[in-house]
Amino acid sequence: MSFKHFEYKGVTFADGVYTKESLAYAENEFKVLDDDVYNLTYPKSGSNWMIQILNLIKHKGDLEKSNTVPIFMRSPWYEAVGCLEEIQKMESPRILSSHLPHHIFAKSFFKSKAKIIYTMRNPKDIIVSLYHYTKILKIFEPAENFQNFIEDFIQGKVLGGSWFDHVKGWMQMKDDSRFFFITYEELIQDIRGSVVRICKFLGLELDEAQIALVVKYSTFKSMSENKMTNWSQIPPEIMDQSKGSFMRKGTFNLSNILLSKPCSKVRRYFGANMIGSVILLSSLPNITNCH
């Protein structure tokens, strides 16, 4: 993948979106509050969707925030350049987003009562989604071809670095009461049940009507039609959605595009890296299949 980038503690970051200074501050100085909720993902794994779900839960299905405040301002990425000023204005409990791996995450979190919701997505679908994302986000030079892009992903030379390192790092917290793990695929297959589970984890009680509102306004159709959730507020010099939509399909099993030789390479790589990882194998049972 061709984009201006730098390495910080073994992870690839986009230059301009992050700096070494912003990451060092996020890791060592950022003050986590006890009632914070962190929306954690590897890039293109459902962070936008989870922001909407969490904010709707917080406001018991009330649409005022969803219809008036852009989604990236409701739950900013705390490690990104320029987000601290917005975060300082936020009222508690704050819902903050992050793509950081476990070993770079805010040190103050580990001494706090704050909570993390970690959404994992099938990496084969991430490859497809991230490939299309490079076509609209101006920091990227379009990939020469899909097979080269797959190779970059396998080698961790993409935005976010290695998917396996990211997921395995955070799975160290799987038995911590502050950590909630869910998959993108679970959200698609049972959004209502997922909302109920998230509410229980957060210690929040919503009635049936409020849960129904959360579900209704976190659907792909609703979010893709809402200018506050579809990222259409981003200037075209940053994200050119004339070349493709930020919200493309909102589904899974996108990886039927992975055919023959590329698929074989991806399957072998995933199979080798899944050995010994029971939680990944159980969460993504078809990861080593082509479709």
Side-chain angles (χ1 to χ4, degrees):
M1 182 187 293
S2 179
F3 64 104
K4 291 183 178 179
H5 64 277
F6 63 92
E7 301 290 316
Y8 182 86
K9 296 195 173 181
V11 181
T12 302
F13 291 94
D15 198 9
V17 180
Y18 311 95
T19 64
K20 289 184 178 180
E21 291 75 21
S22 74
L23 294 172
Y25 182 89
E27 179 185 7
N28 300 305
E29 298 182 52
F30 184 80
K31 298 294 190 296
V32 170
L33 305 180
D34 281 337
D35 59 356
D36 281 350
V37 177
Y38 289 85
N39 166 34
L40 256 293
T41 65
Y42 182 86
K44 306 308 294 178
S45 298
S47 52
N48 202 58
W49 193 4
M50 187 57 72
I51 289 173
Q52 180 74 346
I53 292 170
L54 292 176
N55 275 272
L56 285 168
I57 288 174
K58 176 181 176 179
H59 297 287
K60 299 184 184 297
D62 190 323
L63 281 177
E64 181 183 358
K65 294 284 186 183
S66 296
N67 287 338
T68 57
V69 181
I71 198 162
F72 47 84
M73 293 178 66
R74 279 183 265 149
S75 301
W77 279 255
Y78 88 96
E79 69 270 22
V81 171
C83 287
L84 284 178
E85 184 177 345
E86 200 63 39
I87 291 172
Q88 289 168 357
K89 299 176 186 176
M90 296 176 71
E91 59 183 40
S92 292
R94 305 181 303 185
I95 300 170
L96 300 176
S97 297
S98 179
H99 289 319
L100 289 180
H102 181 268
H103 71 284
I104 303 176
F105 199 66
K107 290 179 179 177
S108 59
F109 167 80
F110 299 98
K111 297 179 181 179
S112 76
K113 298 178 181 178
K115 295 184 176 182
I116 285 175
I117 294 178
Y118 188 91
T119 308
M120 182 177 73
R121 187 182 189 185
N122 190 315
K124 293 187 294 183
D125 288 337
I126 292 174
I127 292 172
V128 177
S129 184
L130 190 56
Y131 175 71
H132 286 283
Y133 189 50
T134 66
K135 297 179 180 180
I136 65 172
L137 196 61
K138 289 296 190 74
I139 65 170
F140 297 113
E141 291 291 332
E144 292 182 12
N145 60 63
F146 189 58
Q147 188 166 338
N148 287 353
F149 187 83
I150 292 173
E151 192 66 41
D152 285 343
F153 186 88
I154 287 173
Q155 294 179 15
K157 295 179 180 179
V158 294
L159 193 66
S162 166
W163 177 86
F164 281 102
D165 288 348
H166 198 281
V167 173
K168 288 182 178 179
W170 280 109
M171 286 306 105
Q172 297 176 69
M173 289 194 64
K174 63 183 177 64
D175 296 321
D176 192 307
S177 62
R178 299 169 297 171
F179 185 81
F180 181 89
F181 170 75
I182 194 166
T183 68
Y184 188 92
E185 293 73 23
E186 286 177 280
L187 289 170
I188 289 175
Q189 293 170 336
D190 184 12
I191 181 62
R192 187 191 179 280
S194 297
V195 168
V196 170
R197 288 172 56 211
I198 292 168
C199 287
K200 183 177 180 180
F201 170 71
L202 296 176
L204 299 174
E205 292 188 12
L206 272 64
D207 61 32
E208 287 298 321
Q210 292 167 339
I211 291 172
L213 287 172
V214 173
V215 171
K216 179 179 179 180
Y217 294 112
S218 60
T219 62
F220 180 83
K221 182 176 186 297
S222 175
M223 291 180 65
S224 63
E225 294 174 352
N226 184 345
K227 65 181 182 181
M228 293 297 157
T229 56
N230 64 16
W231 287 66
S232 60
Q233 300 297 299
I234 298 293
E237 58 268 23
I238 297 175
M239 183 183 291
D240 185 0
Q241 295 203 53
S242 69
K243 297 180 179 179
S245 175
F246 175 81
M247 298 189 65
R248 291 182 57 249
K249 293 186 176 182
T251 186
F252 64 108
N253 287 331
L254 297 173
S255 49
N256 57 14
I257 193 172
L258 298 175
L259 302 174
S260 60
K261 186 176 179 180
C263 180
S264 177
K265 180 178 289 188
V266 171
R267 185 175 65 246
R268 289 197 305 271
Y269 177 73
F270 288 165
N273 279 274
M274 297 299 257
I275 294 173
S277 185
V278 175
I279 189 167
L280 296 187
L281 286 169
S282 61
S283 300
L284 301 172
N286 298 318
I287 193 170
T288 56
N289 297 331
C290 283
H291 306 301

